[in-house]
Amino acid sequence: MHKAFLLSLFTTVAATSPVSSQSMSPMRGEIRSVADSFALRVHPRNPYKHRINVAVRVYDADFRPIDANVTPSVITLGAGGSRSVLVVVRFDGARKRRVRVCTESVPFSDKGFGIKAQVCGKFIAYRF
């Protein structure tokens, strides 16, 4: 009986699981700037048939959080929706800066469970 229950649970989860996954574009980029900061625009996308909350966060090349201006930083995406997000990062005196911009799902607080997904793009910026 226990095996039958697990098999039925697995079948139900497999049948209801989406085959698409959260995405973001672009996933790579090279930026050239004459200012002390650089800007890039990313587009998180929701492939699911239900709304999701996402946060856009910026990390260095080793996935340590860095200070960046992200507008808007947390958004709700409707089913199949996408939205443009502006990211501005300072060079902090460096001539070259490698960053990872990540779209991270934020579980709804009114749900009993949630899965946190993270999709990251790699970007390199050069200051002239």
Side-chain angles (χ1 to χ4, degrees), residues 23-46:
S23 66
M24 179 182 74
S25 66
M27 292 297 291
R28 295 183 183 276
E30 193 171 292
I31 302 106
R32 301 190 188 289
S33 177
V34 295
D36 191 37
S37 60
F38 62 94
L40 58 106
R41 192 169 293 278
V42 294
H43 302 272
R45 183 179 172 281
N46 174 12

Side-chain angles (χ1 to χ4, degrees), residues 29-40 87 89-91 94-100 122-128:
E30 193 171 292
I31 302 106
R32 301 190 188 289
S33 177
V34 295
D36 191 37
S37 60
F38 62 94
L40 58 106
V87 177
V89 181
R90 290 187 310 276
F91 279 103
R95 290 266 184 223
K96 179 170 83 170
R97 185 106 193 239
R98 294 178 187 268
V99 297
R100 296 181 189 270
K122 294 194 286 187
F123 301 90
I124 185 168
Y126 299 96
R127 188 175 104 188
F128 294 100

